Structure formats: C-alpha cells, structure tokens
C-alpha cells in the first residue's frame, strides 16, 4: 500500500513523510508523540490494524486488518485555538468529496464529522489539539474509513463499510492519495481565510442534517432542534421548540436523527 501511495502522491507537502505500521495501538496516539519530535507538517501515520483505535466521546473504534484506512495527519495550523475545531469539518469535507469521486456512491456528511452512506456510518474523524509550552498549536486529525469491512458486530447497528453498501471492493491507496490532495487544497484555503464561510455552500450541499430535526446531546442535556444552516465558524444553527435559535459548537456534542442514527 505504501509504495502505491508514494508513487502516486500529487501533494506539495501533505503525506510526504509517512510512518507506516502493520500494527499499532492508535495512529492518533503515535502522531501526538511525533509532535514532540517536531516532525514536518503533513506527516501521515498509517496502520493496517489498530489495537486500541479511539473514537469520539471516549468510544472505541473498530480497526480490523486489511479492510480499512486508519490514519492520522500532523498539522501546525496558523490558527487560533477557537478556529481549530472547523478543521475537522474541512477534513470531513475533503474525505467526502474524495470518496464520492472514487466510488460514485452517494456519500453524505453528518455534522460535525461522520460520513454516511445509506444512513449508516462509514467514516469517522477524531481531531486532537495539542498546545505546546510556548502556546504553539499542533493538531492531529485522525480518520477512520471502513472500506472493505465484510461485516460489523450487531452491537454496532449504525456502522457499515463501502463494501457492505455497494458490494464492491475499493483500493485503499487510491482513496488515501485522492484524499491527501483534496485535503491539502482545502486546508490551505482554510488556513488563509481562517473562517468557514467559503466552505458553507460545499458543506451544506453534502450535509444530511440541513432542514431536519435532530436530537442534540451535550453531557446530560438532550433536546430537539431543527437544523437551519452552518455558520461561518462551522457551527450548526438550530431552531429549538421554544422558537429560540442556538448555535451548536462541534466540540463534545453528539447529534442523532429523531428517527434513527441520521
Ligand atoms: C469517531 O467517529 O468516533 C471518530 C473515529 C476516528 C477513528 C480514527 S482511525 C485513525 C485514528 N486513530 C484513532 O485511534 N482514531 C482515529
């Protein structure tokens, strides 16, 4: 896989330094250690298996051998800490567009950072922010794509893979190469503009939640909101039952469809 990536890479710097493992605990954990060694921006950590893959909100991420993309990017964005969270949306958008390109499947975004096919989750993103001793900012963007996974345990009713949904196998290196190029382009744009305005249209077109009612769960607080739009910070603007509007920050929140996962 690694040779195929290196041969076909078209980026300026994203993915030029690749650390590949047959097995690792978590590519995010390893990427965070690399930051201490000042590895170059765009360093990619990639593994064929993760034994302790991490999901959002403290969940585990199933990362079996040979069937998925388990990778983390090291970034040093020129952004303020409050501008960082939208980077996850930028990565989700880049992956959504790459997968649509390569597979021709109708893959959509579930805000803030799930990719969904036929109302099932096929990709998740976990970004971690690291602030150094002199306030320098580093980010690890960890992405898991269920590419050729043949099946999932019943305990994960909303999980699926490109293979399960389409009965087609996809080449993981092709997806990675396409994503790295798409991501580099969007990352440069976000780093220069420092807000999500130019992305709102692109994101909303692909986002399943717009115009829908969703449950918004923030710690112990759970309520229904009608999704209006995205904001220039990448937050979700919802209208609550009492008629008030609220801007939902992507941080620790989880949203669920009123009927099902989407
Ligand atoms: C989620 O949707 O909960 C986020 C899942 C993120 C999984 C990826 S796989 C590569 C990277 N390493 C990890 O331990 N997690 C992320």
């Amino acid at each position: 896989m690694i040779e195929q990536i290196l041969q076909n890479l078209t980026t300026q710097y994203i993915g030029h330094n690749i650390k590949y493992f047959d097995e690792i605990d978590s590519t995010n954990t390893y990427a965070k250690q690399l930051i201490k060694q000042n590895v170059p921006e765009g360093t990619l950590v990639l593994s064929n298996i993760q034994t302790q893959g991490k999901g959002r909100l403290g969940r585990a991420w199933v990362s079996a051998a040979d069937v998925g993309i388990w990778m983390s990017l090291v970034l040093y964005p020129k952004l303020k800490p409050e501008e960082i969270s939208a980077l996850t949306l930028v990565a989700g958008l880049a992956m959504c567009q790459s997968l649509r390109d390569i597979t021709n499947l109708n893959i959509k975004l579930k805000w803030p950072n799930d990719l969904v096919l036929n109302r099932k989750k096929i990709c998740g993103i976990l970004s971690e922010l690291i602030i150094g001793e002199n306030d320098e900012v580093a980010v690890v963007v960890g992405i898991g794509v269920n590419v050729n996974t043949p099946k999932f345990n019943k305990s994960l009713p909303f999980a699926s893979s490109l293979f399960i949904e389409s009965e087609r196998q996809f080449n993981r290196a092709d997806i990675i190469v396409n994503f790295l190029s798409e991501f580099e382009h969007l990352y440069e744009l976000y780093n220069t503009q420092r807000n999500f305005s130019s992305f709102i249209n692109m994101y909303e077109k692909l986002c399943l939640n717009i115009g829908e009612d969703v449950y918004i769960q923030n710690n112990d607080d759970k309520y229904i909101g009608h999704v209006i739009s995205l904001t220039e910070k990448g937050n979700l603007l919802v209208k609550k039952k009492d008629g008030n509007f609220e801007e939902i920050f992507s941080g620790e929140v989880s949203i669920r469809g009123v009927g099902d996962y989407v």
Side-chain angles (χ1 to χ4, degrees):
M1 172 155 70
I2 191 78
E3 289 78 22
Q4 209 197 326
I5 296 172
L6 291 169
Q7 273 165 18
N8 293 296
L9 204 59
T10 56
T11 53
Q12 303 282 321
Y13 61 98
I14 298 281
H16 281 210
N17 180 28
I18 303 186
K19 308 276 183 198
Y20 177 77
F21 297 87
D22 288 327
E23 179 176 323
I24 202 169
D25 52 356
S26 152
T27 56
N28 265 36
T29 307
Y30 188 77
K32 282 196 284 182
Q33 286 160 11
L34 288 182
I35 289 169
K36 295 183 196 133
Q37 299 164 25
N38 290 320
V39 289
E41 174 155 64
T43 294
L44 178 72
V45 183
L46 180 64
S47 183
N48 194 40
I49 311 180
Q50 291 185 122
T51 52
Q52 287 178 62
K54 297 190 293 181
R56 282 181 83 226
L57 311 170
R59 298 181 187 126
W61 182 262
V62 175
S63 318
D66 305 325
V67 291
I69 296 171
W70 325 126
M71 66 180 176
S72 303
L73 278 173
V74 175
L75 303 172
Y76 306 110
K78 299 174 217 62
L79 302 167
K80 300 194 196 109
E82 64 270 23
E83 293 163 343
I84 300 278
S85 64
L87 268 183
T88 310
L89 277 70
V90 171
L93 187 56
M95 185 53 91
C96 191
Q97 286 179 338
S98 297
L99 289 178
R100 289 173 69 91
D101 244 30
I102 288 182
T103 66
N104 263 319
L105 297 167
N106 193 18
I107 296 157
K108 295 277 182 147
L109 289 156
K110 174 174 174 281
W111 184 91
N113 45 24
D114 291 355
L115 265 60
V116 171
L117 177 57
N118 301 337
R119 307 186 77 79
K120 300 270 181 72
K121 175 162 171 173
I122 51 115
C123 165
I125 303 182
L126 174 68
S127 293
E128 299 188 68
L129 172 65
I130 296 94
I131 301 185
E133 280 159 20
N134 301 316
D135 284 349
E136 66 279 18
V137 167
V139 181
V140 168
V141 178
I143 306 181
V145 188
N146 304 328
V147 181
N148 297 321
T149 321
K151 69 188 232 235
F152 282 92
N153 194 294
K154 283 200 181 71
S155 62
L156 296 169
F158 302 124
S160 194
S161 69
L162 296 172
F163 172 73
I164 295 169
E165 298 304 318
S166 68
E167 293 178 7
R168 286 157 60 201
Q169 300 259 356
F170 295 96
N171 181 292
R172 290 176 295 162
D174 287 347
I175 297 173
I176 294 169
V177 166
N178 192 307
F179 164 77
L180 293 174
S181 148
E182 190 71 37
F183 178 74
E184 185 174 84
H185 172 65
L186 297 183
Y187 176 62
E188 284 295 303
L189 189 66
Y190 186 72
N191 241 336
T192 334
Q193 304 203 333
R194 294 168 147 236
N195 76 62
F196 203 69
S197 301
S198 327
F199 298 87
I200 294 179
N201 262 341
M202 281 186 266
Y203 196 100
E204 284 185 348
K205 272 197 194 125
L206 294 172
C207 180
L208 280 169
N209 310 107
I210 307 292
E212 299 289 326
D213 283 349
V214 293
Y215 279 119
I216 295 143
Q217 175 131 30
N218 202 346
N219 300 319
D220 290 338
D221 194 22
K222 186 176 178 184
Y223 57 93
I224 291 182
H226 185 75
V227 179
I228 307 291
S229 63
L230 261 84
T231 71
E232 62 170 40
K233 291 191 170 126
N235 295 339
L236 201 65
L237 182 68
V238 299
K239 189 175 182 185
K240 297 196 290 185
K241 285 263 178 285
D242 62 10
N244 287 325
F245 290 89
E246 189 157 299
E247 212 174 305
I248 317 282
F249 171 67
S250 59
E252 289 294 287
V253 78
S254 117
I255 68 167
R256 273 283 154 91
V258 171
D260 62 0
Y261 157 70
V262 184

